[in-house]
Amino acid sequence: MMEIPTGRHLVYQTSLMSALLDGIYDGDTAVATLLEHGDFGLGTFNALDGEMLILDGVCYRMRVDGTVSPADGGDLSPFAVVTEFVPTVTIPVDGLTTRDEAVALINGGLDSANYLYAVRLTGEFEWVRVRAVHKQEKPYQPMSEAVRGEKTLAFGRSWGVVAGFRTPLYGQGIGVPGGHVHFIDAERQQGGHVLDFALLSGTIEICIGTDLHLELPLTAEFRHADLSPDNLADQIEQTENHR
């Protein structure tokens, strides 16, 4: 069980999940700026041109075909969450474990559901299924339309990392309530936005976030975005958590 620390731990975020849902796919935050705020994180790139995963201080772009390449420092992001990953809870996993079972292990290791947590699951996977979204063209459609007919990829047995953030339910619209995770293999050759997986063995590490530094884009598109639609929860479920 994680004990709440007496010190504070900062999480940096650019823009809002609700803005991404509204089709605000161009941001003004560079990868180099994100890396100034931490060595661990996830997000996406302008025009939804690839999923983002930051591990050990390196920012990776995972494209629609599942291939991976390091991102350039000048690449821009419309949404990203970053922190210095300092795990305070480590949970060994032995034996076949589903995503739901891994989530239960993570939840069981938390002293409180009211904080933001960075989570890293490293190990051998029997399989991982990920989502791939094509680069978008202007005028941008809402994300519910962008992911319609999306391509899914299945990776077979491999070593790798599933990493991301667990956001409290009250953070809906700021982030993705529950788990938002991306996968990358050990060779940094393939990955994407995780839909489901089966873990053979590995280690779960959890890092608490007590402070959220949120920077909002200074763009006309963001100023006019609809950030509180009536069906916000349904949109998040449709675009982020469906399997």
Side-chain angles (χ1 to χ4, degrees):
M1 183 72 67
M2 172 179 282
E3 294 183 3
I4 301 304
T6 55
R8 292 191 166 276
H9 192 84
L10 180 67
V11 176
Y12 171 90
Q13 178 171 321
T14 178
S15 195
L16 305 170
M17 187 62 209
S18 57
L20 208 61
L21 292 172
D22 197 48
I24 310 304
Y25 302 149
D26 289 334
D28 51 13
T29 301
V31 165
T33 300
L34 296 176
L35 295 177
E36 292 175 0
H37 294 277
D39 59 5
F40 175 97
L42 87 173
T44 188
F45 296 90
N46 277 10
L48 299 187
D49 187 18
E51 302 284 352
M52 177 191 294
L53 184 59
I54 299 172
L55 282 178
D56 300 321
V58 179
C59 182
Y60 299 97
R61 184 195 297 262
M62 301 177 287
R63 294 191 182 275
V64 67
D65 60 356
T67 58
V68 175
S69 61
D72 293 329
D75 290 341
L76 298 176
S77 172
F79 176 81
V81 189
V82 182
T83 193
E84 291 287 344
F85 195 83
V86 183
T88 54
V89 169
T90 300
I91 304 171
V93 180
D94 296 311
L96 185 63
T97 303
T98 66
R99 175 175 177 163
D100 288 343
E101 289 168 342
V103 169
L105 288 172
I106 292 167
N107 290 339
L110 306 179
D111 183 64
S112 172
N114 295 333
Y115 295 94
L116 177 64
Y117 296 94
V119 179
R120 183 171 63 195
L121 201 172
T122 306
E124 184 179 11
F125 293 83
E126 184 176 49
W127 54 268
V128 181
R129 187 158 58 88
V130 303
R131 180 188 73 194
V133 178
H134 286 279
K135 179 181 178 181
Q136 300 298 295
E137 302 292 340
K138 292 182 177 180
Y140 295 140
Q141 296 178 314
M143 198 169 184
S144 59
E145 297 294 328
V147 302
R148 186 167 294 173
E150 67 188 4
K151 184 179 179 181
T152 61
L153 303 170
F155 304 133
R157 189 162 180 165
S158 61
W159 286 85
V161 180
V162 166
F165 290 86
R166 183 193 182 283
T167 300
L169 292 179
Y170 64 75
Q172 177 174 273
I174 297 175
V176 180
H180 180 192
V181 291
H182 292 174
F183 169 78
I184 193 169
D185 69 349
E187 290 76 27
R188 307 303 192 245
Q189 296 295 312
Q190 58 187 16
H193 175 101
V194 173
L195 298 176
D196 204 358
F197 63 79
L199 176 70
L200 293 171
S201 64
T203 302
I204 297 171
E205 298 172 288
I206 305 173
C207 168
I208 191 172
T210 61
D211 295 23
L212 178 63
H213 179 101
L214 179 61
E215 291 192 3
L216 303 179
L218 298 174
T219 63
E221 292 79 8
F222 184 86
R223 288 198 298 272
H224 299 295
D226 181 5
L227 301 180
S228 56
D230 293 337
N231 64 341
L232 178 59
D234 290 340
Q235 286 192 48
I236 291 175
E237 181 64 25
Q238 178 183 352
T239 59
E240 296 298 318
N241 297 325
H242 74 285
R243 303 184 195 179

